[in-house]
Amino acid sequence: MPDPAPAETATERPAVPELLATAVAALGGQERPGQVQMAEAVARAMSTGEHLLVQAGTGTGKSLGYLVPALLHDDRVVVATATLALQHQLVERDIPALVEAVTPSLGRPPSYAVLKGRSNYACLHRVREGVPDDQGTLVDVPEGSMGSEVLKLRAWAEEQAERGGPGDKDSAPKHTDRVWRQVSVNHRECLGAARCRFAEECFAERAKHKAAESQLVVTNHSLLAIDAIEGVPMIPEYDVVVIDEAHELSARVTQAATDELSVPDVERAARRSQRHVDSSEADDLADAADRLRDAIEDQRPGRLDSLPTDLGDALALVRDAARALISAFPKESGGGEPDPARTQARGMVQELFVTTERMAENRDGDVLWVAERDRSRGGNQLCVAPLQVWGPLRDKLLTSKTVVFTSATLMIGGDFNGVATSIGLKPAERVDHSIEGGLDELDQPAAVASAEPLPWRGIDVGSPFDYAKQGILYVARHLPQPGRDGLQPAHVDEIVDLVDAAGGRTLGLFSSRRAAEAAAGAVRERLPHLTILAQGEAQLPELARLFVEDPHACLFGTLSLWQGLDVPGDTCRLVLIDRIPFPRPDDPLMSARQKAADRAGGNGFMQVAATHAALLLAQGAGRLIRTTEDKGVVAVLDPRLVTARYGGYLLASLPPMWRTTEREVVLKALGRLGG
Ligand code: SF4
């Protein structure tokens, strides 16, 4: 736990609204009722131990809404974000400004730290001693341009070590992931602080120590999941966690618990072990890789409901060979520093054993599928992911910590129940009001291990925007239902007319790369005076910069634009959405989750596909209004939003803009705004 504040006895601790007002005044902002309501609710949750879901619209200032009560809490508070962009904003902007503003009131500067996974920091052992090659020998710098990039990173890491810098990936000179791997290690490859001679200077170790002494620790969803659910201790002890961008939590936790296996992975582990093991175990693993290749290549991409005999036998063979190989590694002689090449090789085999054992067992709680990769990357690969994450979240996180979930989008279909259920809370456990209708009646996790009730509250602190006056939601009811891939001519015509009326200034959010490219091509051809930027033509930050710089530009793209873009002002007057973003029917994990919900007596389509689509739609529509001055149109070119039975559920998840299906009304409104 952090050190108790020495000056606290002398300075009376302010109340939450008071400290929030001090912070807001010092930062030059205005009091926002939603922010005050949020801060008080968060403080209450921290003192009662009840979980809290807070929906706080864009512009509420939600980071101060949880940071202020966190600084007044007696013990350490962890804040977890989904994206690097928000983590950056907190650590580089919001927290330093807040700390400066509240230090006089608190009588001490509150301490804070940022904590990332080990591979996000440069490893000084690897920087100074080199990296093991495929034969398991330590090598120096690879040749060619990659070599010069590695040298640049090494020089930067040494300079960071000398001046006590963070040594993390985000503050490093520009580099590719491949080059970064030459100067970093994952937690299995690390020699361990007790045995590494550079541990005292080690960036990851220093970050861990700083976090252990801090009141506030900022981390990400994945690290939180690995620490809490997988039980790998990464984060110093805490009792309260605030999960920002909470609408992303279950996807990030799923991602952190997904394992992949390809034949080149097995071959590499065998090759790297050969030099360290005298007997035949490494060769046996290489032979098992051949069997696995035959078995995987025979499979068609897609979900495996049951494990085919050939594949099951091949997995068992790799697992057994990996187990035997682990035992064949010579024991480390105590005391001295271990051989890093051997540590890495053994770590790879260990990882392989865990993955193949999980896949060979094909447990009830897992979904297994074959994914297609191009030949140059070794052909098909096997993937395994948890069927659901609400069980582990409930059992491993919610039963032992107080959790505050917050996001601009937590109410799906008009209530919290869909999101609450997906993260392990039961609608019936909500204590602040009775439950009516909605998804709560459809299904509740029947097999949640923790029977202890976990009380929670949900509040929507609203938004400072007047959506009904600032935005129009247009549904193109007259269009045909969109096809799965690509666009039909009627959709293309509609896009061209809308973009033309808006004078560019359009963010196009498409459900497939093919549709985005087709739209970009058509608009370029028919409206040649406009600049059309398409995802994939440059990196996203570069595209966003160009989009903002040219007020008449359009930016067309797919999923990462749905959530990651913040462009206030004149740049974006029209958000185009080509179709309701349901998961693809051949998505193995989503279809397995849908079937499981059906089997449990619920409505799989509503709980999985519609919830997924509603969250994305809300995020996409949320790109339009970013300030109280913004005005514009969200145009959905999928008539099902108003004609299908589930349309009402999706509409209830969207910001309350003025709604119309009248094309002419919208073209005129865009004409007035576009000028
Ligand atoms: S402790 Fe681990 S990460 Fe740190 S320098 Fe040593 S090997 Fe690298």
Side-chain angles (χ1 to χ4, degrees):
M1 287 285 130
D3 290 337
E8 218 159 83
T9 44
T11 311
E12 201 174 319
R13 201 196 297 219
V16 166
E18 198 188 318
L19 194 65
L20 181 61
T22 306
V24 169
L27 301 177
Q30 283 175 344
E31 186 184 302
R32 285 173 271 195
Q35 192 182 48
V36 177
Q37 194 190 350
M38 175 172 178
E40 287 178 331
V42 172
R44 185 182 188 286
M46 286 176 179
S47 69
T48 60
E50 286 170 355
H51 303 300
L52 177 69
L53 272 70
V54 192
Q55 175 164 287
T58 310
T60 313
K62 70 175 153 52
S63 58
L64 281 195
Y66 58 74
L67 289 172
V68 166
L71 294 185
L72 288 170
H73 187 60
D74 285 331
D75 290 316
R76 176 178 301 116
V77 174
V78 171
V79 174
T81 70
T83 62
L84 208 58
L86 180 60
Q87 189 177 95
H88 240 89
Q89 181 197 311
L90 289 175
V91 179
E92 304 296 327
R93 208 184 70 191
D94 297 356
I95 298 179
L98 176 65
V99 163
E100 200 184 319
V102 301
T103 296
S105 309
L106 294 178
R108 65 187 159 98
S111 51
Y112 68 95
V114 56
L115 197 57
K116 305 173 182 185
R118 188 150 296 242
S119 58
N120 284 280
Y121 299 94
C123 162
L124 287 172
H125 198 288
R126 196 157 265 200
V127 163
R128 290 169 183 169
E129 305 287 313
V131 82
D133 70 359
D134 262 357
Q135 269 65 51
T137 311
L138 281 176
V139 292
D140 204 29
V141 183
E143 284 175 13
S145 63
M146 187 172 153
S148 67
E149 278 189 60
V150 174
L151 283 179
K152 216 189 284 171
L153 282 182
R154 283 183 173 181
W156 160 83
E158 289 296 0
E159 185 246 348
Q160 288 280 301
E162 207 175 302
R163 66 178 185 86
D168 66 334
K169 196 168 186 274
D170 300 323
S171 54
K174 212 165 153 212
H175 59 268
T176 59
D177 284 352
R178 208 165 142 230
V179 170
W180 182 256
R181 278 198 290 277
Q182 303 286 320
V183 295
S184 63
V185 294
N186 63 30
H187 73 273
R188 273 194 221 280
E189 294 166 336
C190 167
L191 302 176
R195 294 197 290 172
C196 172
R197 82 188 106 122
F198 304 117
E200 250 179 58
E201 293 170 274
C202 170
F203 301 116
E205 290 298 319
R206 284 209 311 232
K208 228 169 90 184
H209 290 140
K210 189 166 179 215
E213 290 162 2
S214 294
Q215 160 76 16
L216 202 60
V217 175
V218 180
T219 187
N220 55 50
H221 290 187
S222 307
L223 204 69
L224 182 77
I226 294 167
D227 178 89
I229 297 177
E230 294 188 17
V232 182
M234 306 286 231
I235 302 175
E237 208 184 308
Y238 63 96
D239 65 353
V240 174
V241 54
V242 177
I243 300 180
D244 201 341
E245 302 177 305
H247 61 276
E248 280 272 308
L249 181 68
S250 86
R252 301 282 169 153
V253 174
T254 301
Q255 210 174 42
T258 297
D259 284 322
E260 293 169 353
L261 176 74
S262 70
V263 174
D265 295 338
V266 185
E267 291 172 332
R268 201 170 305 120
R271 250 193 334 265
R272 291 220 171 153
S273 304
Q274 257 144 359
R275 188 178 142 256
H276 306 286
V277 175
D278 293 334
S279 39
S280 65
E281 283 82 356
D283 297 335
D284 294 345
L285 184 62
D287 292 345
D290 289 338
R291 273 285 293 280
L292 184 67
R293 174 179 296 105
D294 295 343
I296 291 191
E297 293 310 320
D298 280 351
Q299 301 301 320
R300 293 233 317 258
R303 184 174 173 209
L304 298 170
D305 281 323
S306 59
L307 203 52
T309 313
D310 263 15
L311 187 56
D313 290 348
L315 282 170
L317 204 66
V318 175
R319 177 200 59 200
D320 295 345
R323 188 196 284 122
L325 181 52
I326 294 166
S327 320
F329 270 86
K331 299 269 167 293
E332 300 288 354
S333 50
E337 185 176 273
D339 173 353
R342 188 163 66 195
T343 304
Q344 175 162 352
R346 198 174 185 282
M348 284 174 88
V349 182
Q350 177 74 35
E351 210 157 313
L352 196 62
F353 170 71
V354 172
T355 302
T356 45
E357 186 175 52
R358 179 179 177 191
M359 289 175 169
E361 280 180 9
N362 195 20
R363 301 166 195 158
D364 268 357
D366 273 340
V367 180
L368 190 63
W369 73 93
V370 177
E372 204 169 10
R373 296 205 309 182
D374 55 58
R375 294 264 152 207
S376 64
R377 296 176 63 216
N380 288 347
Q381 69 174 355
L382 271 181
C383 307
V384 63
L387 181 59
Q388 47 83 5
V389 293
W390 45 257
L393 277 170
R394 183 176 174 95
D395 289 345
K396 306 272 175 60
L397 184 70
L398 295 164
T399 48
S400 55
K401 317 282 184 201
T402 303
V403 188
V404 173
F405 300 90
T406 185
S407 161
T409 317
L410 287 183
M411 296 179 77
I412 299 300
D415 62 44
F416 286 109
N417 297 334
V419 169
T421 304
S422 74
I423 53 183
L425 291 167
K426 302 177 184 185
E429 292 168 331
R430 186 169 173 188
V431 290
D432 53 346
H433 76 69
S434 63
I435 299 144
E436 312 140 3
L439 272 187
D440 47 315
E441 287 172 357
L442 295 177
D443 179 46
Q444 247 315 96
V448 169
S450 164
E452 273 294 297
L454 299 175
W456 62 278
R457 290 169 187 266
I459 58 163
D460 176 11
V461 300
S463 152
F465 307 150
D466 187 345
Y467 279 108
K469 290 210 172 101
Q470 292 182 250
I472 297 175
L473 174 66
Y474 164 57
V475 183
R477 189 188 179 118
H478 62 282
L479 289 178
Q481 187 175 318
R484 174 46 62 188
D485 286 311
L487 293 170
Q488 299 170 53
H491 291 89
V492 174
D493 292 344
E494 185 84 3
I495 290 170
V496 171
D497 290 347
L498 288 165
V499 170
D500 193 21
R505 305 175 195 271
T506 302
L507 177 64
L509 304 176
F510 293 88
S511 48
S512 71
R513 179 64 74 97
R514 219 164 109 194
E517 283 167 359
V523 178
R524 271 183 190 139
E525 195 184 312
R526 296 202 226 166
L527 304 173
H529 57 289
L530 296 177
T531 303
I532 312 299
L533 307 161
Q535 198 177 350
E537 293 173 353
Q539 294 291 314
L540 199 51
E542 174 69 358
L543 288 173
R545 187 181 63 77
L546 295 170
F547 184 43
V548 173
E549 267 175 20
D550 178 350
H552 293 283
C554 299
L555 174 55
F556 289 177
T558 56
L559 204 62
S560 40
L561 296 187
W562 285 79
Q563 310 196 60
L565 208 66
D566 186 13
V567 278
D570 278 349
T571 299
C572 180
R573 291 289 194 218
L574 171 63
V575 172
L576 274 175
I577 294 176
D578 70 328
R579 57 175 289 134
I580 298 171
F582 289 123
R584 293 183 66 96
D586 57 3
D587 180 320
L589 189 54
M590 288 295 189
S591 64
R593 287 179 170 176
Q594 203 166 313
K595 276 189 201 151
D598 284 338
R599 271 200 308 273
N603 180 335
F605 171 76
M606 289 304 289
Q607 283 172 255
V608 179
T611 300
H612 172 89
L615 269 172
L616 269 179
L617 266 183
Q619 289 285 315
R623 300 304 98 199
L624 181 71
I625 309 290
R626 312 299 293 174
T627 73
T628 49
E629 304 303 314
D630 291 348
K631 285 196 169 88
V633 172
V634 172
V636 181
L637 310 186
D638 189 334
R640 292 174 297 174
L641 192 56
V642 287
T643 57
R645 217 162 42 89
Y646 51 77
Y649 173 76
L650 298 179
L651 283 169
S653 312
L654 297 179
M657 296 175 185
W658 185 77
R659 290 177 191 163
T660 183
T661 55
E662 300 289 327
R663 185 172 188 273
E664 292 311 315
V665 171
V666 169
L667 290 175
K668 276 194 193 128
L670 282 172
R672 283 195 299 274
L673 288 170

